[in-house]
Amino acid sequence: MLKAVVRGGAPVLLWRAALVAALLCGVGLLPWLSRTDPALTVLKARSAERAPTPEVLDAIRAQLGLDAGPLKLLGDWFGGLLHGDAGRSWISGAEVTPSVLQALGVSLLLMGGSLAVAVLTAGAVCARTLRLGAGRRLDDRRSAGTGSALLSTLPDFLTASVLAAVVGVQLGWLPALGWYGPQWMVLPALSLGLPAGALLGRMLDDLLPGAFAEQWALAAAARGVRGRSIARQALRRCVPGLLPNFGLFVVGLTGGAVAVEQVFDIPGLGRLTLQAAVAQDLPVLQAGTLALVLLAAIAGGAAQFTARLLIGPALRDGALSSLHRPTPPRPTTLPLLYGGLLLAVVALGLARDPLRLDTTARLQPPSWAHPFGTDGLGRDVLARVGHGALSTLALALAVSAAALAVGVLLGLLPRFSGPLVDTVNAVPPVLAALLVTGVAGSGPSTPALAVTAVAWAPLAAHTSALLQQERATTHLTATRGLGAGPLQLLRHELLPAVLPPVARHALLRLPGIALALAALGFLGLGAQPPSPEWGLLLSENQPYAERAPWAVLAPATALALLGAVAVTGGGGVRWPGPRRVRRRGAGGIGTVPRRGARAEDREPVVGDLVSVGTREAGPADIAGAGREEA
């Protein structure tokens, strides 16, 4: 065991430590990377009215030690960190450690409530598949996910604004601002947990049919085991593949809840790191980033330990079954319907002028002249949604494809990508955008680079989790024993099992990527007004959500339609393989492969197995089952 730790664990720990050190050094060099004067930024953060005279700036440089250079500052900060001292804030002069720990405690409490909401939401999303699988009626399952698509595409700041305005202010049911007790946590937890739970639920719902089609599930049904017990074990079989992404959500909900913390005035870690990044308060920013990195390492280790605990010795002994999706869901017209609606909106909007101002028609409700109403400057909202679709969708598709390619490639190297995923996921989105801008410079490609730099991490974690389970399957052991090489195993065994669910996962994240690209306009890195990008439309019209909700609902509905197209259309994504012939057995519908099909593509015939299990099996039944296998 000691040799295994030295060979396997030590390099991973060294790689993780190197990544953390590189990240903290990049944060410490942020002012110099972005080519800004840190003394001037600190002065503006301290007192915006004070004139930036050379004498004042020199005094700030001498006080903070900026004249010694960035390397001296980094060395002093790391040296103090070894003694438990994270320095003092450049803005307030207070000690950094107490403020970061207090903000971390608030964010962890909010994260716990958000995860509870996310788990309940995920359970509601996959409840139908669990019920059908328990009753052995998955053949009746159609491609679904419209409701979960709507939830997963809701921007958290929009959900937070609506809940605060409607539930908190107008109805007065729950407090809308502050952080003083459990009641103040409900609305923020709903804003963060609903989209995260919808995404996790869709990923779990994608894996469940494969678990219900495994031999143990069919044998249990034939022996008369209750469907509820089979559904519970199928859930246990699929959860390990999602635990790495669940760990990523833990870190993302802790340090990435910046917008929700701003809306509800919550003194959390995400808000603290945002303020420190804008003011270039490096000690606070470095300490907050280090806290998130440590949380990411703990969450990742806990996810791996729980996955091994749930799977048990089957992972070690190579006794798992492949989670190949047995058959794609029945095709529906929902993707065509949602896609047609989205194309119709875009086509109607392209025929209008998105920049025409009419101050006499500000915030008008929907009418024949303006089907989606007007915004705060009297511009036609339909025109802006239609023209913004071109750049938003094209760039989002390109970034999603790049993130999928990078995520799959790095996910195939789990020892290399595991620590890298944890480190990248621990970087707040604002900080990631600033670091990318400092390295690559500000330009038209900066938003795409910034989003791609972090968008691949969930896909790589999903790939690694599925790959770990697929390598422990019995058919892979048998294929390897027959002399198959690594490339042949990768091409014919591993990629067909891993790539389709990861591709469907990438489609689920497509609307979020579109929103993240547009949201970088806040930092001056992406599109700027009067650009009609959808994210900018949401942010520009958010102050008028109470007076003119149509100005916010229009781009939000467009994003929801995009998510519905991605979810319902991506349900049939699968590895191209031999065609199957459907047949009806005595107790259900099964499939048998055409001649020449691979053994792992063959699906068991459910009907015959169940019919044998309903009474005492005799020689005729066994012979019939043998003929069926032949």
Side-chain angles (χ1 to χ4, degrees):
M1 182 177 295
L2 182 61
K3 291 182 179 180
V5 171
V6 172
R7 288 197 305 264
V12 174
L13 291 177
L14 291 175
W15 172 232
R16 187 183 295 274
L19 289 174
V20 173
L23 175 60
L24 294 178
C25 290
V27 172
L29 296 174
L30 182 61
W32 292 270
L33 290 175
S34 57
R35 301 172 184 86
T36 59
D37 187 359
L40 179 59
T41 306
V42 170
L43 176 63
K44 291 181 179 180
R46 288 179 176 179
S47 176
E49 294 81 11
R50 193 173 181 183
T53 61
E55 294 78 9
V56 173
L57 296 178
D58 289 339
I60 293 177
R61 293 190 186 97
Q63 178 188 2
L64 302 179
L66 296 175
D67 294 333
L71 297 181
K72 180 66 166 55
L73 290 175
L74 281 174
D76 293 342
W77 187 82
F78 277 110
L81 191 64
L82 294 177
H83 298 87
D85 182 13
R88 290 183 173 272
S89 170
W90 287 2
I91 307 301
S92 65
E95 292 187 4
V96 170
T97 303
S99 59
V100 170
L101 291 179
Q102 183 179 2
L104 179 61
V106 172
S107 294
L108 289 177
L109 186 59
L110 177 59
M111 179 266 293
S114 302
L115 286 182
V117 174
V119 170
L120 292 176
T121 305
V125 169
C126 62
R128 180 173 178 271
T129 301
L130 285 172
R131 185 175 66 254
L132 293 177
R136 301 189 300 277
R137 292 183 289 113
L138 277 178
D139 291 316
D140 301 330
R141 177 176 176 265
R142 293 181 177 273
S143 178
T146 304
S148 58
L150 296 177
L151 286 178
S152 61
T153 54
L154 285 177
D156 53 4
F157 69 87
L158 177 61
T159 308
S161 301
V162 172
L163 290 177
V166 177
V167 180
V169 177
Q170 293 183 359
L171 300 177
W173 291 347
L174 292 168
L177 292 176
W179 187 260
Y180 305 104
Q183 293 181 348
W184 280 263
M185 189 176 68
V186 176
L187 295 182
L190 289 174
S191 304
L192 293 171
L194 287 176
L199 185 59
L200 284 174
R202 286 303 308 163
M203 294 170 60
L204 180 59
D205 190 75
D206 185 65
L207 294 176
L208 282 172
F212 280 114
E214 290 182 345
Q215 294 293 335
W216 65 265
L218 300 174
R223 291 293 300 266
V225 178
R226 296 177 60 184
R228 187 175 302 176
S229 299
I230 298 176
R232 185 165 55 250
Q233 295 301 322
L235 192 63
R236 179 180 176 178
R237 173 70 177 89
C238 297
V239 163
L242 301 181
L243 283 175
N245 271 276
F246 191 82
L248 297 185
F249 274 111
V250 168
V251 183
L253 293 176
T254 304
V258 179
V260 174
E261 291 177 356
Q262 290 277 41
V263 171
F264 291 101
D265 194 21
I266 299 174
L269 188 60
R271 186 180 179 187
L272 182 66
T273 54
L274 171 64
Q275 295 172 350
V278 173
Q280 293 187 356
D281 192 353
L282 296 187
V284 176
L285 186 58
Q286 287 174 305
T289 304
L290 179 60
L292 289 175
V293 170
L294 294 178
L295 178 62
I298 295 173
Q304 292 183 3
F305 175 78
T306 307
R308 291 181 178 273
L309 191 64
L310 289 176
I311 297 177
L315 188 65
R316 181 195 63 226
D317 299 336
L320 289 177
S321 299
S322 177
L323 275 178
H324 280 284
R325 174 179 276 195
T327 53
R330 292 183 180 181
T332 66
T333 59
L334 289 178
L336 298 178
L337 176 61
Y338 296 138
L341 288 175
L342 184 59
L343 289 177
V345 170
V346 172
L348 292 175
L350 290 176
R352 298 168 177 262
D353 185 3
L355 303 178
R356 182 176 179 272
L357 300 178
D358 186 2
T359 55
T360 62
R362 295 178 64 250
L363 302 178
Q364 286 191 353
S367 61
W368 287 109
H370 304 286
F372 285 0
T374 60
D375 63 6
L377 297 177
R379 297 172 296 190
D380 187 79
V381 176
L382 175 60
R384 296 184 64 74
V385 170
H387 283 266
L390 298 179
S391 57
T392 303
L393 295 181
L395 195 57
L397 286 172
V399 171
S400 298
L404 176 61
V406 174
V408 171
L409 290 177
L410 292 180
L412 295 177
L413 306 171
R415 288 185 177 272
F416 173 79
S417 64
L420 188 60
V421 167
D422 293 339
T423 306
V424 168
N425 187 65
V427 180
V430 175
L431 180 58
L434 292 176
L435 289 175
V436 170
T437 304
V439 175
S442 180
S445 61
T446 299
L449 291 175
V451 176
T452 308
V454 296
W456 62 269
L459 304 177
H462 196 189
T463 301
S464 298
L466 296 180
L467 184 68
Q468 182 186 33
Q469 296 190 41
E470 192 65 23
R471 283 175 171 170
T473 55
T474 53
H475 74 84
L476 191 73
T477 304
T479 307
R480 188 185 294 113
L482 293 175
L487 292 180
Q488 186 176 3
L489 290 175
L490 179 66
R491 168 64 178 84
H492 296 286
E493 305 292 341
L494 297 178
L495 286 182
V498 171
L499 193 56
V502 176
R504 293 190 289 269
H505 181 188
L507 285 174
L508 289 176
R509 293 186 176 270
L510 177 61
I513 288 179
L515 183 64
L517 285 168
L520 290 181
F522 287 113
L523 303 175
L525 308 177
Q528 295 294 307
S531 173
E533 276 195 314
W534 290 352
L536 286 179
L537 296 184
L538 288 170
S539 61
E540 290 173 352
N541 297 316
Q542 182 185 354
Y544 310 107
E546 295 185 30
R547 296 175 53 194
W550 52 85
V552 178
L553 290 177
T557 303
L559 276 172
L561 285 175
L562 175 62
V565 172
V567 171
T568 57
V573 175
R574 59 192 296 265
W575 187 266
R579 297 176 58 187
R580 295 185 175 100
V581 181
R582 299 189 64 84
R583 65 177 296 275
R584 184 174 298 274
I589 298 177
T591 59
V592 294
R594 288 185 181 273
R595 182 175 299 176
R598 301 195 310 268
E600 64 272 15
D601 284 329
R602 185 190 184 278
E603 300 174 30
V605 182
V606 181
D608 293 332
L609 279 173
V610 174
S611 63
V612 172
T614 55
R615 55 183 173 82
E616 183 178 358
D621 294 321
I622 299 175
R627 288 194 300 272
E628 188 63 42
E629 288 294 330

